[in-house]
Amino acid sequence: MDKTEILDNVIEVANKWLVGNYDQATKDAVKELLEQDDKTALIDSFYKDLEFGTGGLRGKMGPGTNRMNIYTVGAATQGLANYLNKSFPEKEQISVCIGYDCRNNSKLFSDTVANIFSANGIKAYIFEDLRPTPEMSFAIRHLGCQSGVIITASHNPKEYNGYKAYWEDGSQLVPPHDKNVINEVKAVKVEDIKFEGNPDLIEVLGADMDKLYLDTVKTLSLSPEAIQNQKDLKIVFTPLHGTTVKLVPDSLANFGFENVIHIPEQDVVDGNFPTVWSANPEEPEALKMAVDKADEIDADLVMACDPDGDRLGISVKNDKGEWEIINGNQTALIFTYYLIKRRRELGLLTGNDYVVKTIVTTELFKDVAEKNNVECFDAYTGFKWIADVMRKNPDKNYVGGGEESFGYMPGDFTRDKDAVSACSVMAEIAAWAKDQGKNLFDILKEIYIEYGFSKEKMIYIVREGLQGSQEIAQMMHDYRYNTPKEINGSPVVLVKDYTTRKATNPITGEATDLDFETTADVLQIYLEDGTKISVRPSGTEPKIKYYFEVREDLPSLEEFYATEEKANKKVEGIIDSLKLN
């Protein structure tokens, strides 16, 4: 389809919004888009329907089929309601749980969702105020719901909002449910959406659910004596204007920590995120205010959560006395190392234990597990796939699961990454380390000495709109069918293509099957020197992402910084070789 055909199609779709069952403010906004000489905004708003990706429905807010508004949210909810009623015909009362975060329009969208579900005869449990995503996942399981929705765009810019749909086990939708729901949504016309709710089928959740959740989080504690010894550990915490403003401090107190320092400006719940450029704990800038406070008071640990409370960013002092952000791979390593080590010491490993990581997460994660006789599963990016592994292994003992993008789930009572639990356990690890005269940076170096050194870096390229999505598709095509023979001077020895689920040796042409039931648009390139490069389009943002992992020998702690510098130079050489600067 050429640009003229695309524009003609967009104008046809947009004109339907001028005469359909839409409110007047929406019609006025669409008319304004149609009248603009530059049709870029019009095309971006209408050239496609929002689709479920790795994180569900997500997009910029505004009028249009490709925007978050009460009509796209309404269609998604009506479609999900239709699917639930078809999927559970014998269920006397189907129920769902609904949560929302701090973003602009999140309360409006969540109320819209509750009304539509109730209008379709489905009981809707809705939180009284904003709550972290993992608590909503917990509530689905605790209440025996068949589904759930949380309104959030995680760490995206303030212009975005989103809609994550969950199934009865508390995880986000996976096949066949995701595709089936999309098909139901596509069949919904605006006049089909039942916006008028039934108050008798809407129940508000509050403090009682909070207590149940926090008491369950506390069962993860493995070193209460260390916390008692280090209860004055100086912890600086920021929710970055989001949902963990209350629950993380409450959980830390529940574990026994008595010295949590706040950043008052960032405790303010605000979807405009006024103190940060990006409310993403992966970004050093997001932690700046907390790190400055930590430096001022000589704190032990800095922790930050993203707006919906599923990601955790931490910063600790290195042995040069400088505050250093621990990346998501390193955080996952520390969690996995600690949970396995302490469970083994306490006799809690059963011999049938496992952890889960995503395919773009460091391979050192797997090394730590397998050298301790703990099985490690690989999963696609997104915690719904970690939950899928858990669903398929009910008789095994889950220890923990994580990904490189600052997400970890240390307990099996949720089915999504859980920053409330992660903050609580990470604070415990810091207390356990301090009880031994160490900090988290020391623990990380001990892991490297015992299991090998790994350095990871992720970069991304943003390509907005229709043209951007086409460029990203072309880039993936080129990597797939014109794979370099060598990168940064090291030969390519293995290529894993998850669209075909094949691992191919480009030298011999030998191919083997990858043990995955579904496909994903991910390509991984392995080099002779141990480097792993992963490339994939984001499922929720207009980005193509590159994940680099290089391995080096680390003979002693004295050589840590020299080894790290050598690895950094190798990563930069790879980026230069791929012309990504």
Side-chain angles (χ1 to χ4, degrees):
M1 187 181 294
D2 62 27
K3 289 184 178 180
T4 301
E5 290 175 313
I6 291 169
L7 180 58
D8 289 344
N9 185 62
V10 161
I11 290 172
E12 181 182 350
V13 174
N15 277 322
K16 291 178 181 178
W17 281 53
L18 297 181
V19 296
N21 292 348
Y22 301 93
D23 63 85
Q24 192 57 48
T26 296
K27 290 180 178 180
D28 290 345
V30 173
K31 186 178 180 182
E32 184 178 335
L33 287 173
L34 283 162
E35 291 174 348
Q36 289 176 359
D37 291 335
D38 185 346
K39 302 301 184 186
T40 302
L42 175 69
I43 291 172
D44 287 349
S45 297
F46 283 97
Y47 82 93
K48 68 173 183 176
D49 294 339
L50 282 181
E51 298 175 356
F52 283 95
T54 57
L57 194 70
R58 194 178 300 186
K60 292 180 179 178
M61 289 175 277
T65 59
N66 190 36
R67 293 288 185 260
M68 284 290 296
N69 50 65
I70 62 170
Y71 302 105
T72 51
V73 167
T77 307
Q78 186 63 54
L80 179 55
N82 293 344
Y83 185 63
L84 287 169
N85 281 323
K86 290 178 181 178
S87 298
F88 300 96
E90 305 303 321
K91 188 77 177 174
E92 184 176 342
Q93 180 60 73
I94 299 171
S95 63
V96 300
C97 183
I98 303 159
Y100 64 95
D101 71 0
C102 62
R103 287 178 178 273
N104 299 326
N105 293 316
S106 282
K107 180 69 166 65
L108 168 66
F109 293 157
S110 65
D111 286 343
T112 300
V113 171
N115 284 331
I116 294 170
F117 276 129
S118 66
N120 283 273
I122 295 171
K123 183 175 179 62
Y125 294 98
I126 184 169
F127 281 96
E128 63 184 358
D129 201 350
L130 72 169
R131 289 295 192 280
T133 291
E135 185 178 5
M136 193 276 305
S137 174
F138 171 83
I140 290 174
R141 296 172 61 81
H142 179 79
L143 295 168
C145 296
Q146 283 63 59
S147 183
V149 170
I150 192 155
I151 302 298
T152 178
S154 188
H155 59 283
N156 280 64
K158 63 184 180 181
E159 296 83 10
Y160 284 75
N161 213 322
Y163 179 109
K164 291 183 181 179
Y166 290 71
W167 203 238
E168 60 183 337
D169 65 342
S171 77
Q172 292 180 55
L173 300 181
V174 297
H177 303 305
D178 54 353
K179 300 289 194 307
N180 292 343
V181 170
I182 285 294
N183 290 335
E184 292 286 349
V185 172
K186 287 179 177 177
V188 172
K189 299 180 177 63
V190 66
E191 56 267 24
D192 299 330
I193 304 171
K194 300 175 182 178
F195 283 107
E196 196 66 37
N198 178 359
D200 293 338
L201 287 178
I202 299 175
E203 183 175 331
V204 176
L205 303 175
D208 289 347
M209 186 59 67
D210 294 342
K211 186 177 188 309
L212 282 168
Y213 172 56
L214 293 181
D215 286 348
T216 306
V217 172
K218 191 178 179 181
T219 65
L220 296 171
S221 179
L222 297 172
S223 302
E225 68 290 337
I227 294 175
Q228 180 59 36
N229 294 339
Q230 305 296 336
K231 62 185 178 182
D232 290 329
L233 191 81
K234 288 184 182 177
I235 303 168
V236 177
F237 172 72
T238 173
L240 297 178
H241 303 287
T243 60
T244 55
V245 61
K246 187 173 183 296
L247 282 196
V248 165
D250 284 355
S251 187
L252 291 171
N254 207 30
F255 265 57
F257 292 102
E258 299 178 359
N259 195 12
V260 179
I261 298 97
H262 293 248
I263 308 298
E265 302 93 324
Q266 295 184 331
D267 277 354
V268 175
V269 174
D270 191 335
N272 292 314
F273 312 120
T275 66
V276 291
W277 170 78
S278 169
N280 182 357
E282 297 179 68
E283 302 285 351
E285 185 271 341
L287 273 68
K288 185 178 187 308
M289 291 181 72
V291 169
D292 287 348
K293 171 60 73 173
D295 200 41
E296 175 190 330
I297 65 172
D298 192 25
D300 296 290
L301 174 65
V302 169
M303 295 193 293
C305 294
D306 64 345
D308 73 317
D310 59 4
R311 296 183 189 221
L312 163 66
I314 63 174
S315 185
V316 297
K317 278 188 177 179
N318 60 27
D319 47 20
K320 296 179 181 179
E322 303 163 337
W323 285 94
E324 185 167 324
I325 291 178
I326 304 298
N327 71 37
N329 286 290
Q330 293 169 326
T331 302
L333 279 176
I334 292 170
F335 274 123
T336 304
Y337 171 80
Y338 173 78
L339 292 171
I340 291 174
K341 183 180 180 68
R342 287 297 289 144
R343 286 190 180 211
R344 188 178 65 237
E345 291 171 351
L346 295 169
L348 298 176
L349 292 180
T350 66
N352 196 25
D353 314 280
Y354 73 99
V355 294
V356 195
K357 74 174 189 69
T358 64
I359 57 175
V360 298
T361 301
T362 174
E363 296 302 311
L364 199 54
F365 185 114
K366 181 177 288 186
D367 294 344
V368 171
E370 293 182 345
K371 288 181 181 178
N372 285 280
N373 297 315
V374 173
E375 189 174 6
C376 181
F377 289 93
D378 268 315
Y380 284 140
T381 302
F383 262 72
K384 66 181 183 181
W385 297 112
I386 291 177
D388 193 48
V389 172
M390 298 170 73
R391 187 184 304 114
K392 293 170 180 173
N393 292 277
D395 298 327
K396 294 186 178 183
N397 180 39
Y398 175 79
V399 175
E403 63 182 4
E404 49 68 43
S405 58
F406 288 62
Y408 204 87
M409 189 171 72
D412 63 358
F413 47 84
T414 63
R415 287 294 190 274
D416 208 342
K417 49 186 176 283
D418 182 352
V420 179
S421 296
C423 281
S424 306
V425 174
M426 185 56 73
E428 176 175 284
I429 300 172
W432 172 77
K434 192 169 185 179
D435 223 27
Q436 304 171 60
K438 305 171 185 174
N439 70 4
L440 292 177
F441 196 78
D442 297 319
I443 299 300
L444 182 62
K445 290 195 296 182
E446 287 182 4
I447 295 170
Y448 287 145
I449 286 290
E450 186 172 354
Y451 297 97
F453 182 82
S454 172
K455 186 68 177 181
E456 308 84 22
K457 184 170 183 174
M458 190 275 285
I459 65 172
Y460 57 82
I461 297 171
V462 176
R463 292 291 185 267
E464 296 273 6
L466 172 61
Q467 181 176 342
S469 66
Q470 293 170 336
E471 290 177 14
I472 289 173
Q474 184 61 47
M475 293 166 78
M476 290 300 300
H477 179 276
D478 291 344
Y479 287 124
R480 206 162 254 130
Y481 298 104
N482 297 290
T483 309
K485 290 183 170 52
E486 68 169 27
I487 298 173
N488 194 36
S490 183
V492 173
V493 294
L494 186 67
V495 177
K496 293 182 179 181
D497 187 346
Y498 292 88
T499 61
T500 60
R501 289 174 288 178
K502 295 286 185 182
T504 304
N505 181 325
I507 300 170
T508 65
E510 181 184 358
T512 57
D513 293 330
L514 294 171
D515 188 19
F516 285 79
E517 294 180 4
T518 59
T519 62
D521 192 5
V522 183
L523 193 73
Q524 291 186 310
I525 300 170
Y526 293 78
L527 308 185
E528 190 176 68
D529 65 6
T531 295
K532 180 178 79 173
I533 302 167
S534 307
V535 189
R536 74 176 185 93
S538 170
T540 56
E541 302 169 274
K543 297 176 178 178
I544 182 170
K545 294 186 174 183
Y546 299 81
Y547 306 80
F548 307 102
E549 177 182 1
V550 301
R551 304 293 288 266
E552 293 288 349
D553 293 327
L554 178 59
S556 68
L557 288 177
E558 288 73 27
E559 296 176 70
F560 173 78
Y561 286 106
T563 302
E564 184 179 48
E565 180 59 26
K566 182 179 178 183
N568 284 334
K569 287 181 178 178
K570 184 179 286 187
V571 171
E572 292 308 314
I574 293 167
I575 293 171
D576 287 343
S577 180
L578 292 173
K579 297 180 172 57
L580 298 176
N581 287 325

